[in-house]
């Protein structure tokens, strides 16, 4: 195994652009290390350590956005009191990721690129209309997170591109909630994940662990926009069936996931929506 080090972003981008097989970026390593022995057995890979790139570390506030750097960790978010006030869903998700050790090393960008359908960081970022900022030697590209994934573990990122930032628009929210249903309250992978937010931009309903990718649920969002009557969780099932396609796996069945998503959504929204 070969590990490359970069002292500056420019240096890192040059190393990613050099040659036919781009090295695999390593941020916190908390996803990559889980598969390390497996990947080593598969083939020798070259890794690029990003940890020294000061340009990717800051979490910045601008007049109209919160900008997470490519190396911003969950702990960075938990340590900023303004995030607690303006983006409580980021805090709620960060607190649910692993334990303190993972929260201090794991990054939001790593969560996005790892592309697990059960990730906790991605749904809340998507509910806030986050934009992924990618950079390569060819320049900058911005992709809205809700259009970033193209299939299971597939995304609009070329191997020579780094996620250098995640931009989250600042807006007043009248409703926001994050739910993670797992086998236990801590250190569990989501069986069902949900992030729901309402702002002037409309309703956002994002489901995790319910499809090959984390995704927005456009039928449910329309139902909420139109104020359609809902008499109980079962009334939400047809919209859920249109939006997502859960599978049976070791963690739970598709039916369990659909039922739980309907009940959690109904319980969360019945007061706000007057159901
Ligand atoms: C014990 C344990 C518990 C966990 N619990 C949870 C949990 O509760 N919820 C959850 O969502 N996740 C969980 N995870 C998974 C993991 O911690 C998160 O997904 C984390 O955000 C990954 O970030 P990282 O910086 O460690 O990524 P890495 O492992 O460094 O990288 C992950 C992927 O992203 C790529 N990458 C990283 N940074 C960049 C960048 N800037 N540009 C381009 N590509 C990049 C890497 O090449 C790799 O493909 C857990 C992991 C462990 C080991």
């Amino acid at each position: 195994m070969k590990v490359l080090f970069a002292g500056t972003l420019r240096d890192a981008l040059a190393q990613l652009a050099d040659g036919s097989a781009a090295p695999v970026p390593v941020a916190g390593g908390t996803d990559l290390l889980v598969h390390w022995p497996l990947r080593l057995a598969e083939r020798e890979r070259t890794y690029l350590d990003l940890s020294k790139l000061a340009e990717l570390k800051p979490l910045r506030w601008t007049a109209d956005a919160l900008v997470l750097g490519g190396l911003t960790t969950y702990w960075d978010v938990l340590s900023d009191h303004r995030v607690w006030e303006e983006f409580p869903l980021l805090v709620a998700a960060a607190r649910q990721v692993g334990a303190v050790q993972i929260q201090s090393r794991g990054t939001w960008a790593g969560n996005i690129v790892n592309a697990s359908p059960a990730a906790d960081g991605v749904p809340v970022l998507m509910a806030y209309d986050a934009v992924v900022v990618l950079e390569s030697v060819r320049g900058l590209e911005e992709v809205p997170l809700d259009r970033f994934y193209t299939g299971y573990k597939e995304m609009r990122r070329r191997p020579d591109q780094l996620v250098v930032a995640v931009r989250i628009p600042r807006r007043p929210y009248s409703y926001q909630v994050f739910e993670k249903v797992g086998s236990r309250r801590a250190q569990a992978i989501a069986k069902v994940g949900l992030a729901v937010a309402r702002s002037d931009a409309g309703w956002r309903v994002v489901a995790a662990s319910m499809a090959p990718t984390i995704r927005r649920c456009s039928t449910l969002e329309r139902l909420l926009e139109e104020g359609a009557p809902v008499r109980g969780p079962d009334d939400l099932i047809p919209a859920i069936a249109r939006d997502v396609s859960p599978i049976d796996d070791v963690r739970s069945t598709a039916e369990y996931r659909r039922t739980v998503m309907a009940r959690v959504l109904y319980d969360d929204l019945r007061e706000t929506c007057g159901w």
Side-chain angles (χ1 to χ4, degrees):
M1 177 182 57
K2 197 163 147 193
V3 181
L4 306 173
F5 293 90
T8 62
L9 176 58
R10 200 173 155 170
D11 185 12
L13 297 178
Q15 300 205 52
L16 283 171
D18 189 21
S20 53
V24 179
V26 186
T30 62
D31 269 316
L32 283 172
L33 277 165
V34 173
H35 302 288
W36 208 270
L38 203 74
R39 296 217 169 133
L40 268 183
E42 271 176 14
R43 56 178 177 252
E44 277 287 305
R45 297 294 303 269
T46 301
Y47 294 87
L48 175 64
D49 177 26
L50 306 179
S51 63
K52 299 282 181 292
L53 302 183
E55 301 97 317
L56 301 192
K57 283 188 182 162
L59 171 161
R60 283 185 300 116
W61 292 89
T62 68
D64 51 12
L66 164 62
V67 184
L68 308 180
L71 284 174
T72 298
T73 64
Y74 301 103
W75 199 253
D76 293 330
V77 156
L78 291 171
S79 312
D80 187 320
H81 70 93
R82 278 202 286 175
V83 184
W84 289 68
E85 283 158 24
E86 281 198 41
F87 296 103
L89 299 189
L90 296 186
V91 172
R95 293 178 75 186
Q96 293 269 338
V97 172
V100 166
Q101 295 88 339
I102 298 292
Q103 292 165 8
S104 349
R105 282 201 69 90
T107 62
W108 295 85
N111 201 244
I112 292 173
V113 177
N114 183 55
S116 163
D120 292 318
V122 174
V124 293
L125 291 172
M126 207 180 277
Y128 283 142
D129 286 347
V131 174
V132 183
V133 184
L134 298 154
E135 189 167 354
S136 72
V137 290
R138 296 197 244 164
L140 281 166
E141 189 185 346
E142 300 200 347
V143 184
L145 184 55
D146 63 0
R147 279 184 255 145
F148 188 63
Y149 299 112
T150 52
Y152 177 68
K153 297 263 180 187
E154 286 171 7
M155 67 205 81
R156 296 183 206 282
R157 172 194 164 252
R158 296 191 315 270
D160 68 331
Q161 289 178 310
L162 278 183
V163 175
V164 290
V166 182
R167 203 180 58 243
I168 311 167
R170 293 174 76 175
R171 302 180 175 136
Y173 283 89
S174 58
Y175 183 84
Q176 39 191 332
V177 71
F178 171 68
E179 300 278 7
K180 174 178 179 175
V181 180
S183 308
R184 48 178 192 257
R185 284 189 76 79
Q187 293 270 37
I189 298 177
K191 291 166 186 256
V192 177
L194 264 178
V196 183
R198 183 195 204 179
S199 69
D200 288 350
W203 282 96
R204 299 288 183 266
V205 180
V206 181
S209 274
M210 296 291 293
T213 66
I214 289 174
R215 63 171 59 162
R216 276 179 61 184
C217 300
S218 54
T219 316
L220 282 165
E221 289 177 358
R222 240 184 348 266
L223 182 145
L224 295 172
E225 295 298 349
E226 288 164 3
V230 175
R231 286 156 309 205
D234 286 351
D235 284 1
L236 295 169
I237 295 278
I240 291 174
R242 240 167 279 145
D243 284 334
V244 287
S245 49
I247 53 164
D248 295 330
D249 68 7
V250 285
R251 286 196 292 280
S252 53
T253 62
E255 194 190 339
Y256 172 89
R257 290 185 155 108
R258 266 191 299 268
T259 307
V260 166
M261 179 166 164
R263 288 190 187 165
V264 171
L265 253 185
Y266 183 75
D267 274 358
D268 281 341
L269 293 175
R270 72 200 272 190
E271 207 174 302
T272 304
C273 296
W275 293 341

